[in-house]
Amino acid sequence: MVSDRLAIETVDLWKRYGDVEALRGVDLQVPAGSICGFLGRNGAGKTTTIKVLLGMARATRGEARLLGQPAGDAAANADIRRRVGFVSDEKDLYDYMTVREMIAFTRPFFPRWRADLEQTYRQKFELPLDREIKDLSRGTRTKVALLLALCRGADLLILDEPTAGLDPAMAEDVLQALVGHVAGEEMTVFFSSHQIAEVDQIADHVAIIDAGRTVLAGPLDDLRERYQRVQLVFAGDAPTVTLLSPGVVRVNRQGRVLTILTRDRDPLMAEVRSLAPVSIDWSPVTLKDIFLESVRTED
Amino acid sequence: MLFRPNPASGVPIYLQLMEQVKHAIATGALRPGEQLPGIRKVAEELVINPNTVAKSYRELEHEGVIELRQGAGAFVSEKAPSKRAAEKFRAAQTDVAATIEKLRAGGVADEDIRRLFEAELGRR
């Protein structure tokens, strides 16, 4: 079950707060070296999942492992803290420190601190070193938090909504720093987001969570290749059919046209040909379509 | 940058990159023996996943379009489409451009032209 090739693994994770089941079965498998986007609507359970992963909350049921170690395990905790970088939604920083002081304060906690990267990102992010954290814009604050996380030499970086509240140019800078970092270092990135476009752009793996449960997960390219929409045009009225192929999500019949959305193209190919339409037109489905389809079926 | 994938199109980005590299070779923008931009450079400039860039380069190598040299980077294969193939391609490009111009002049929308081409080619 557990593999060291997985940077994050959870099995049937549940978390209850009072009467509320915040998580109702989260299964994650994030391969080492990947950039995994963790998508879900607000309140879907993204932050709770991250808290459980980091040992900040204890799961009611199920298993979570980070870099092969049980999450929240006291003995493993020190090691995990050194090897995992975390940027919270709040970008926790000390408001009264200057940027320079914040960096100097953080550095000694991490034996694997990367002075070379610190230099690089200080310049790249154009950080105002002598300004106090409390006076920084949200974007600059995010960049400081990101620098602190990237420079600690972590094997796994977990980010909770890293681009929330940033303007598009700032958001692009943050995404660029992430892809550049992964290209240069052996590192896994797990970031939550409700921005489908940015997951589409930089992730190679995706996990979609809805109402506390993983509804879809896997390599993004696989999902893009398997999820397809096919439009069939018939000479007369489209036949009323029950499709037997596995993976068919939705069938829409209108006049001479039958539109089918499937999460598994291959088995459907022969079946649509057997209906003998005059034209068959396959088209790709966007991650946005996949996302909306996945969270809708849960309602 | 020679490449410009559209992440929101629904087509896997590595496939788009592969197409764009082949297109660049076919048009002569990239010639046999020339070096492709490094994985990190492509990833940073286009802000896409480096694993995706690496995957497209691996697939292109598998198809014999490029060669990956240990430590040195990716190069257009010497066996990549010849000059004659490039000329043939450019001639076809001119034909397609002319056809599209004619259709546009006749009032056919670009979206329809695209669909017609794709349907005619019997995609998949």
Side-chain angles (χ1 to χ4, degrees):
Chain A
M1 180 67 72
V2 175
S3 147
D4 20 289
R5 298 295 306 139
L6 294 176
I8 298 176
E9 181 178 32
T10 73
V11 182
D12 197 27
L13 212 57
W14 287 63
K15 174 66 187 174
R16 178 202 292 267
Y17 288 112
D19 293 339
V20 182
E21 295 282 9
L23 303 183
R24 301 185 296 131
V26 173
D27 292 290
L28 293 173
Q29 295 200 313
V30 180
S34 65
I35 299 182
C36 180
F38 189 34
L39 270 175
R41 295 189 290 196
N42 291 329
K46 300 191 295 286
T47 299
T48 304
T49 303
I50 287 175
K51 282 185 173 161
V52 171
L53 289 177
L54 293 168
M56 292 152 65
R58 192 166 285 279
T60 319
R61 197 168 107 194
E63 238 193 298
R65 282 174 178 270
L66 256 68
L67 305 168
Q69 313 236 37
D73 179 88
N77 232 333
D79 179 54
I80 287 201
R81 261 205 301 271
R82 266 197 295 277
R83 295 176 63 200
V84 179
F86 172 52
V87 178
S88 77
D89 190 18
E90 302 304 323
K91 322 285 182 287
D92 301 322
L93 300 168
Y94 294 111
D95 274 344
Y96 60 87
M97 289 187 187
T98 63
V99 172
R100 190 191 306 277
E101 287 164 352
M102 189 70 227
I103 295 172
F105 172 80
T106 308
R107 195 186 294 128
F109 289 100
F110 300 99
R112 299 202 297 176
W113 186 265
R114 294 282 302 273
D116 56 328
L117 292 178
E118 182 193 317
Q119 277 304 324
T120 307
Y121 288 123
R122 266 162 58 164
Q123 279 163 20
K124 194 173 207 157
F125 292 164
E126 298 173 338
L127 296 180
L129 292 173
D130 296 314
R131 199 172 302 166
E132 289 185 2
I133 302 285
K134 66 171 168 2
D135 296 328
L136 300 179
S137 70
R138 195 175 168 95
T140 309
R141 204 182 162 90
T142 301
K143 286 177 173 176
V144 174
L146 196 57
L147 178 147
L148 299 177
L150 294 176
C151 292
R152 60 169 70 178
D155 298 321
L156 167 64
L157 188 61
I158 296 179
L159 307 111
D160 195 3
E161 302 272 356
T163 61
L166 303 192
D167 69 56
M170 279 281 192
E172 191 81 352
D173 284 352
V174 168
L175 299 181
Q176 187 179 45
L178 288 176
V179 297
H181 195 84
V182 170
E185 315 285 324
E186 287 284 315
M187 176 182 243
T188 310
V189 174
F190 182 73
F191 73 107
S192 72
S193 179
H194 57 265
Q195 305 262 23
I196 295 163
E198 69 187 28
V199 173
D200 227 345
Q201 192 178 340
I202 71 161
D204 52 19
H205 280 68
V206 65
I208 298 176
I209 181 176
D210 196 51
R213 194 176 307 172
T214 320
V215 288
L216 188 70
L220 197 43
D221 282 341
D222 275 13
L223 296 179
R224 287 199 183 104
E225 278 172 26
R226 286 191 294 115
Y227 264 83
Q228 297 265 318
R229 188 175 281 117
V230 61
Q231 197 176 65
L232 311 177
V233 180
F234 293 86
D237 277 352
T240 314
V241 288
T242 308
L243 293 159
L244 303 172
S245 305
V248 172
V249 177
R250 189 175 300 274
V251 180
N252 187 347
R253 185 171 161 272
Q254 206 162 38
R256 288 187 296 276
V257 179
L258 205 59
T259 309
I260 306 159
L261 177 68
T262 178
R263 62 170 71 98
D264 207 352
R265 181 195 61 205
D266 291 353
L268 187 60
M269 290 178 79
E271 192 172 12
V272 297
R273 273 198 296 272
S274 74
L275 300 173
V278 292
S279 93
I280 301 177
D281 193 6
W282 291 91
S283 56
V285 177
T286 64
L287 180 59
K288 187 173 174 179
D289 293 332
I290 296 174
F291 176 78
L292 292 175
E293 203 57 54
S294 307
V295 301
R296 189 187 301 161
T297 51
E298 283 292 296
D299 282 345
Chain B
M1 181 66 49
L2 282 167
F3 319 128
R4 192 133 296 279
N6 172 11
S9 73
V11 178
I13 295 174
Y14 85 95
L15 287 178
Q16 296 186 45
L17 275 181
M18 286 176 68
E19 283 308 312
Q20 290 172 13
V21 170
K22 288 180 191 167
H23 186 80
I25 294 170
T27 57
L30 277 174
R31 303 234 169 98
E34 281 184 351
Q35 187 168 11
L36 278 81
I39 288 170
R40 182 176 187 157
K41 187 171 156 57
V42 176
E44 278 190 327
E45 212 156 302
L46 302 178
V47 191
I48 58 174
N49 192 302
N51 300 324
T52 305
V53 184
K55 183 172 174 183
S56 67
Y57 280 15
R58 273 200 311 276
E59 294 285 323
L60 284 166
E61 183 187 39
H62 189 68
E63 292 186 6
V65 178
I66 66 172
E67 285 163 24
L68 298 179
R69 296 180 202 155
Q70 198 63 44
F75 295 82
V76 179
S77 167
E78 297 291 349
K79 299 181 299 263
S82 63
K83 196 167 162 233
R84 205 155 50 86
E87 277 161 13
K88 198 161 99 186
F89 185 88
R90 269 197 293 275
Q93 203 177 24
T94 312
D95 286 349
V96 170
T99 306
I100 289 174
E101 260 334 292
K102 197 169 137 194
L103 290 170
R104 277 182 181 153
V108 184
D110 279 10
E111 199 43 46
D112 290 334
I113 298 176
R114 182 170 298 120
R115 275 202 215 103
L116 287 165
F117 265 90
E118 283 171 359
E120 203 57 42
L121 288 167
R123 293 182 73 240
R124 297 209 173 91

